[in-house]
Amino acid sequence: MSLAVHVSVEGGRIPLSRQRVGDIATAVLRAERVRDALLSITFLSDRAIAALNARHLGHRGATDVIAFGFAPSGNGVHGVVGDIYIAPGVARRHARAHRVPVREELARLVVHGTLHVLGYDHPAGDERTTSPMWRRQERGGGGARARAPGAAAR
């Protein structure tokens, strides 16, 4: 079994250690019975995530989390490979608006992004909080509690 999670912070600081972020993602992978994974989690500025959002998803503005899951290649790569991008600035605003600690919101976004990498999705709008992915997210660890993150994207 090989689970590798790399965490980086580009500019600024986050109120979770890189180790804690990696532990949250690893817990989700284990809960989903993933045996082999290579996951990269990057914390970006609002400006950088807005550029990713426009370039890859065709959406305007900053969002809280964007995740990309890549299909295994035929080059001996098996298991899950994915990138997760999180905007702490957006997470802070959502945490304030919903009166939850920023650490909890960031943990929830790590869980949310990891589930997207694994292929889970949810409908847009209010229906997402009743989706199978949402239920999985809320029991997926990392201190996540039932509350919708902002405009999560995949």
Side-chain angles (χ1 to χ4, degrees):
M1 179 161 105
S2 175
L3 299 177
V5 179
H6 174 72
V7 179
S8 64
V9 180
E10 295 187 8
R13 295 172 45 113
I14 60 170
L16 292 174
S17 71
R18 291 178 190 190
Q19 180 67 46
R20 178 72 179 126
V21 171
D23 289 348
I24 293 167
T26 299
V28 173
L29 294 169
R30 285 187 177 139
E32 293 297 317
R33 296 188 172 103
V34 173
R35 298 179 60 90
D36 295 302
L38 177 58
L39 194 60
S40 171
I41 302 172
T42 305
F43 291 87
L44 298 172
S45 68
D46 287 6
R47 185 179 205 176
I49 206 162
L52 280 175
N53 203 15
R55 184 178 319 122
H56 296 285
L57 301 173
H59 301 144
R60 293 183 57 175
T63 188
D64 49 8
V65 60
I66 297 175
F68 300 100
F70 304 101
S73 73
N75 300 343
V77 176
H78 302 285
V80 174
V81 178
D83 293 332
I84 301 170
Y85 299 93
I86 298 173
V90 175
R92 279 185 195 93
R93 290 190 295 279
H94 289 167
R96 274 195 300 270
H98 296 283
R99 298 180 183 172
V100 297
V102 175
R103 287 180 178 163
E104 181 179 317
E105 184 68 6
L106 289 170
R108 178 180 287 110
L109 294 174
V110 171
V111 172
H112 192 89
T114 304
L115 289 172
H116 272 311
V117 166
L118 295 176
Y120 291 99
D121 208 354
H122 54 78
D126 293 337
E127 304 85 40
R128 74 175 154 184
T129 60
T130 60
S131 70
M133 178 189 167
W134 195 264
R135 287 190 298 274
R136 212 169 205 98
Q137 170 186 308
E138 294 308 306
R139 70 170 191 253
R145 304 243 187 275
R147 195 211 51 78
R154 178 171 185 239

